[in-house]
Amino acid sequence: MAVIIDGKKVSAEVKEQVRLETAELIKKGVQPGLAVIIVGDDPASRVYVNNKKKACEAVGFLSREYALPATTTQQELLELVNKLNDDEEINGILCQLPLPKGLDEKSVIEAISPLKDVDAFHASNVGKIMIGDYDFLPCTPAGVMEMLHSYNIAVEGKKCVVIGRSNIVGKPMGMLLLHENGTVTITHSRTQNLKEVTREADILVAAIGKPKFVTADMVKEGAVVIDVGMDRDENGKLCGDVDFENVKDKCSAITPVPGGVGPMTIAVLMKNTLKACKLQNNL
């Protein structure tokens, strides 16, 4: 019977640690601050932003939201980012993606100061992850690593397969597994004989955004399966990239959706913001 990896439990532990450290900082007169920018009215983005706000309150951070209309220009958005770069109360800046059509995400990400880039999307932070000398890690891949550590799942020497090569999850996920001495394969839409590749994985990470894409015949007996997907099935019910019901009996451990990787992303965001605050205050 597979161990169900409980992301809610692990994220609660991470956030509690952040809350305790934040309380100590506040005693010294320093409060971590996170600014979240949301442009337009994408319903999924709104849910994420609300969850981030709740998490900030729970750990004791200053939280500021900038909700901008979909008609916001590139110039207006960049001016706000620059203002927040100079704001000493704000340690972390997060611009909720995707942005409405007509706005250039890349230039917005590059405008955020690398010291306040708590999503770790800025090219200089991505480069630091590559060489293994980083301040911040992207929230979702780092959340996956927290879960593996929490359940004492060793990466060293294991065959690790990541399905998906996005800059936000797939590529950095591969790097973090490599930093812990996993042997890593990153697969994608052009990978040939995908099933044969995934069936070799001791640790399989699915991050492609296709509901129930990973089926039982793609999974090695006893593998650890991490589902980063957040999809809707044919009935509109929340599900992941893994066909959980049919895969779970084959695994040694598996993350559910919801309640797996999702809560970890926000927990790591809190951890990154705390670290940004300490770095900026030389603590």
Side-chain angles (χ1 to χ4, degrees):
M1 185 61 196
V3 171
I4 308 295
I5 298 174
D6 186 348
K8 285 184 183 168
K9 176 175 157 285
V10 182
S11 78
E13 289 163 2
V14 172
K15 285 191 285 195
E16 177 57 14
Q17 185 57 42
V18 171
R19 190 189 68 77
L20 293 172
E21 289 187 46
T22 300
E24 289 304 308
L25 284 183
I26 289 172
K27 283 180 193 167
K28 296 174 185 168
V30 177
Q31 183 183 28
L34 177 66
V36 179
I37 303 168
I38 177 170
V39 187
D41 46 13
D42 180 70
S45 290
R46 172 43 63 199
V47 170
Y48 285 131
V49 168
N50 289 349
N51 288 342
K52 285 164 186 170
K53 204 191 286 184
K54 278 183 206 154
C56 282
E57 284 166 17
V59 299
F61 288 1
L62 167 73
S63 163
R64 282 209 227 134
E65 180 189 306
Y66 296 85
L68 308 178
T71 52
T72 300
T73 65
Q74 186 79 16
Q75 185 59 35
E76 287 166 337
L77 187 50
L78 292 174
E79 279 171 10
L80 173 59
V81 169
N82 288 329
K83 195 176 93 179
L84 294 170
N85 281 338
D86 295 334
D87 188 331
E88 288 184 5
E89 282 191 344
I90 295 300
N91 306 111
I93 303 168
L94 186 148
C95 187
Q96 187 66 43
L97 304 178
L99 291 172
K101 278 195 177 67
L103 293 174
D104 177 17
E105 290 182 0
K106 188 166 175 266
S107 67
V108 174
I109 288 166
E110 290 301 303
I112 294 172
S113 161
L115 288 172
K116 295 190 177 188
D117 168 38
V118 286
D119 261 334
F121 291 166
H122 191 287
S124 96
N125 285 328
V126 173
K128 286 179 166 185
I129 294 159
M130 192 78 184
I131 59 174
D133 179 19
Y134 44 78
D135 296 316
F136 310 116
L137 291 173
C139 299
T140 301
V144 169
M145 299 310 289
E146 290 270 0
M147 292 166 107
L148 294 175
H149 298 154
S150 180
Y151 279 78
N152 296 316
I153 296 167
V155 173
E156 186 162 342
K158 301 275 179 67
K159 283 187 178 173
C160 306
V161 175
V162 180
I163 310 176
R165 55 175 165 183
S166 73
N167 291 334
I168 292 174
V169 181
K171 288 178 194 168
M173 189 75 252
M175 286 310 304
L176 298 193
L177 292 163
L178 192 59
H179 288 326
E180 296 206 5
N181 303 315
T183 300
V184 181
T185 303
I186 296 179
T187 67
H188 44 79
S189 58
R190 307 286 161 81
T191 299
Q192 296 182 347
N193 307 323
L194 180 64
K195 257 178 209 180
E196 287 170 27
V197 180
T198 60
R199 269 203 297 253
E200 295 219 315
D202 302 308
I203 297 173
L204 180 62
V205 182
I208 44 164
K210 289 186 179 174
K212 301 184 184 178
F213 178 84
V214 176
T215 48
D217 60 345
M218 294 171 73
V219 178
K220 175 181 171 180
E221 198 74 47
V224 173
V225 176
I226 305 290
D227 191 348
V228 180
M230 190 63 82
D231 314 305
R232 299 269 171 194
D233 66 12
E234 59 283 2
N235 305 313
K237 190 168 175 258
L238 203 59
C239 70
D241 290 350
V242 177
D243 182 1
F244 183 84
E245 286 308 318
N246 292 314
V247 169
K248 70 177 191 316
D249 296 329
K250 244 185 145 174
C251 313
S252 59
I254 187 168
T255 61
V257 175
V261 176
M264 292 306 304
T265 301
I266 290 180
V268 174
L269 174 65
M270 299 298 109
K271 199 174 169 179
N272 282 352
T273 305
L274 175 67
K275 187 168 188 188
C277 177
K278 288 179 174 175
L279 288 170
Q280 288 160 38
N281 288 281
N282 299 315
L283 293 168

